[in-house]
Every structure is written in structure tokens, then in C-alpha cells.
Amino acid sequence: MFFRLSKGFKINAPFMEDNTPIHNVDLEEGVLGKANKNGTILVSDKITDPEERESVIEHEKVHIDQIKRGDLDYDEDFVYWKGKKYSREEMQEGNKNLPWESEAYSKTDPFKKY
Ligand SMILES: [Zn+2]
């Protein structure tokens, strides 16, 4: 099957499965997943439950989408969300109230244990 995506067409979650490279790596304590600007996702190798791993990947995929569409960017010191600058030093990363996190949490099914 072959089809062309028109501009502005929103790809639904099942179609995103495909070409996102996912790597199991040793992430720092307390970090379960990471979305890289190059479009890859890192998942903590400490996660043993496949359901939890899936849930982390779904969450990070929302961040990848945010980066791709230009809403989210970051460097070592700041996170940029829709043109606004957030100091990483002052924020609690992963906090559900941060706009990019609240979108990620609202679009995914949170893993039951948390
Ligand atoms: Zn997040």
C-alpha cells in the first residue's frame, strides 16, 4: 500500500509505531525514558515490565511529535515550548503541569503502577 500524506495531516498513534528507533540504555536514576532531538527514543534498561516499557515509549513518542512539529526544543540549560523559555534548573522535569508533559500525559494511558 502506498499513500501520500497531505500537509497538515495528523498521523494517528498506531502509524507512529514504525520508524522511531528505540534504544535500551542505562539512564540516570529515576529517568525512565528520553526523547532525543534526532528522533530516537531512549528507554531505561532497568525497566523489566514490557507493559511499563510500552507506556514509557508512548509517552516519549508524544515528545518526539512535539519536537518534530516545532513546539518543543531544548538544550542543556533550557526547554523551549512554543517560543517560551523554561529554565531546567528551576523546573521539576517530568512534572505533569509542564505544558509539554501535560499533553504527553493526556494523550497516553499512564502505566497503572504510577
Ligand atoms: Zn515527558
Side-chain angles (χ1 to χ4, degrees), residues 4 10 12 14 27 34 37-38 49 56 58 63 65-66 69 75 78 80 85 87 91 96 101 104 110-111:
R4 222 173 259 281
K10 191 86 169 50
N12 292 316
L27 292 175
K34 234 173 186 171
K37 283 197 279 190
N38 63 10
D49 188 325
V56 169
E58 284 307 309
H63 292 320
D65 178 52
Q66 292 167 338
R69 67 180 199 231
D75 53 36
F78 297 98
Y80 307 88
K85 208 168 157 179
S87 163
M91 82 172 76
K96 292 182 187 185
E101 294 300 349
F111 187 64

Side-chain angles (χ1 to χ4, degrees), residues 46-91:
K46 293 172 199 76
I47 298 174
T48 49
D49 188 325
E51 241 185 276
E52 178 177 17
R53 187 172 180 274
E54 214 35 61
S55 152
V56 169
I57 292 168
E58 284 307 309
H59 178 100
E60 297 307 327
K61 274 183 182 172
V62 177
H63 292 320
I64 295 283
D65 178 52
Q66 292 167 338
I67 292 166
K68 281 186 181 163
R69 67 180 199 231
D71 285 344
L72 181 67
D73 193 10
Y74 62 84
D75 53 36
E76 260 181 51
D77 300 315
F78 297 98
V79 175
Y80 307 88
W81 174 254
K82 296 186 174 176
K84 253 183 101 177
K85 208 168 157 179
Y86 295 77
S87 163
R88 299 185 82 156
E89 213 169 85
E90 288 160 30
M91 82 172 76

Side-chain angles (χ1 to χ4, degrees), residues 2-61:
F2 180 89
F3 61 85
R4 222 173 259 281
L5 296 178
S6 59
K7 262 207 174 130
F9 182 81
K10 191 86 169 50
I11 300 169
N12 292 316
F15 289 100
M16 288 170 65
E17 212 78 297
D18 45 79
N19 47 24
T20 308
I22 294 154
H23 306 287
N24 284 315
V25 291
D26 184 15
L27 292 175
E28 58 202 277
E29 203 57 46
V31 179
L32 298 175
K34 234 173 186 171
N36 284 326
K37 283 197 279 190
N38 63 10
T40 62
I41 289 174
L42 307 181
V43 181
S44 170
D45 60 8
K46 293 172 199 76
I47 298 174
T48 49
D49 188 325
E51 241 185 276
E52 178 177 17
R53 187 172 180 274
E54 214 35 61
S55 152
V56 169
I57 292 168
E58 284 307 309
H59 178 100
E60 297 307 327
K61 274 183 182 172

